[in-house]
Amino acid sequence: MRETVFLRLNEARWQHYEQQPAAGPEELARRYVELTDDLSYARTFYPDSATTAYLNGLTGKLHQALYKNKTQPPGRFLDFWLRELPLLVARHHRPLLASLVFFLVCVGIGALSAAYDDAFVRVVMGDEYVNQTLANIQKGDPMAVYKGKEESEMFLRITFNNVKVSLYAFAGGITGGLVTLFMLFRNGVMLGAFQWFFYQKGVLLPSVLTIWIHGTLEISAIVLAGGAGWVMARSLLFPGTYSRRDSLRHGARAGMKLVLGLVPVFVVAGFLEGFVTRHTEMPPAASLSIIGLSAAFILGYFVAYPWWLSRKAVSC
């Protein structure tokens, strides 16, 4: 973009920021983010121009205004969960939705593969797991595999593994999303084959009532982590008016915040799998209550609340 075009598109906004004080800390933060983006672009394409010098001075003034009282607000942690993370989800809803659609397609691929090839489930789940589950089905307790380990050990191991998977799915964005696609494909195919296996053995309902006690949160968080990876991949592949480096930095920061926001979800999912799922004899009403509450949380916090909050921000 020529510097004259860059000036024509943005000069009025810069003058407004310089002449009109921000209405509040949120608007001040938004102005600062926009100006740092503009400054990064100017430094990349017009490093020695008066425009860059002007933006550097204006950004410095906003930086001082923004951070001079930084130790003051005690609710920064709470604000992250109530506003920053939901608005981030709303802003990047397209890659998050694309992650869900791709994952569901992979689930269908896994189910179809298992339906047409009886040996497929052994390929994705392993002979040991399949043989153990078949033995448990014959004993009348198809979900007994969740009773095998001590609760605390199982909780820690599962939580660590889930967080690791989510970080891999996010970090895979640096490959242009290829590793992220693989992680979603692998987990989706495994889930589809896994559930079809139980359907073939006539124990689909017990499996759903047991597995989805923790799986509702766990699978949802993996899909969201994949979406975070695609946020970074999109910033790398389609930098727009920014330099590729600056675009990647912004995408990586946004994706990392999304992944960090999922850590408590993985902790709760690990707790449920380690301490609750093992009780395969619990009444169906109890299982459905846990599954329903988990689904309500995911849909409420990651779908409805971000939509409502973004609409409210626009109207204000």
Side-chain angles (χ1 to χ4, degrees), residues 132-299:
Q132 182 181 358
T133 302
L134 288 173
N136 290 334
I137 292 173
Q138 291 179 351
K139 294 176 184 177
D141 192 2
M143 299 291 105
V145 68
Y146 291 102
K147 302 176 180 178
K149 295 184 179 293
E150 192 270 331
E151 290 96 331
S152 299
E153 176 191 350
M154 192 173 181
F155 161 60
L156 293 173
R157 180 176 58 82
I158 289 168
T159 301
F160 175 78
N161 180 72
N162 288 339
V163 172
K164 181 178 70 173
V165 168
S166 71
L167 288 174
Y168 281 160
F170 159 67
I174 199 66
T175 65
L178 293 177
V179 172
T180 301
L181 285 173
F182 172 75
M183 296 296 293
L184 290 172
F185 176 80
R186 181 173 179 270
N187 283 276
V189 167
M190 286 179 64
L191 177 62
F194 187 59
Q195 291 286 218
W196 188 266
F197 170 70
F198 286 114
Y199 169 75
Q200 284 183 319
K201 302 304 175 184
V203 290
L204 177 62
L205 182 59
S207 74
V208 168
L209 291 175
T210 301
I211 296 165
W212 289 94
I213 287 176
H214 63 271
T216 304
L217 294 177
E218 181 181 301
I219 297 300
S220 299
I222 289 174
V223 172
L224 289 165
W230 281 5
V231 168
M232 180 162 65
R234 186 174 65 171
S235 70
L236 175 65
L237 298 174
F238 308 105
T241 57
Y242 303 117
S243 69
R244 199 172 299 275
R245 182 186 65 181
D246 289 336
S247 178
L248 177 60
R249 188 179 77 245
H250 294 316
R253 184 189 304 152
M256 179 55 74
K257 286 181 179 180
L258 288 170
V259 171
L260 290 177
L262 295 173
V263 171
V265 180
F266 281 122
V267 171
V268 175
F271 174 83
L272 290 173
E273 187 168 358
F275 291 92
V276 180
T277 302
R278 64 177 52 245
H279 298 291
T280 58
E281 72 285 350
M282 75 167 61
S287 297
L288 289 172
S289 297
I290 297 172
I291 294 169
L293 286 172
S294 299
F297 167 75
I298 293 295
L299 292 174

Side-chain angles (χ1 to χ4, degrees), residues 16-93:
H16 173 73
Y17 290 173
E18 188 174 20
Q19 297 168 4
Q20 297 293 328
E26 291 181 5
E27 183 182 347
L28 183 63
R30 178 181 59 80
R31 290 183 179 187
Y32 178 71
V33 170
E34 291 179 0
L35 283 174
T36 54
D37 289 344
D38 294 337
L39 178 60
S40 296
Y41 185 83
R43 281 175 172 169
T44 302
F45 294 100
Y46 331 113
D48 301 318
S49 73
T51 301
T52 303
Y54 169 75
L55 283 173
N56 188 62
L58 183 57
T59 305
K61 291 178 183 178
L62 261 69
H63 182 275
Q64 291 179 354
L66 185 63
Y67 288 102
K68 65 182 179 182
N69 296 319
K70 189 175 179 181
T71 56
Q72 208 173 309
R76 177 68 183 85
F77 179 80
L78 187 62
D79 184 69
F80 174 78
W81 299 104
L82 292 181
R83 291 188 56 82
E84 187 174 352
L85 182 59
L87 286 174
L88 201 62
V89 171
R91 180 182 175 187
H92 298 289
H93 68 276

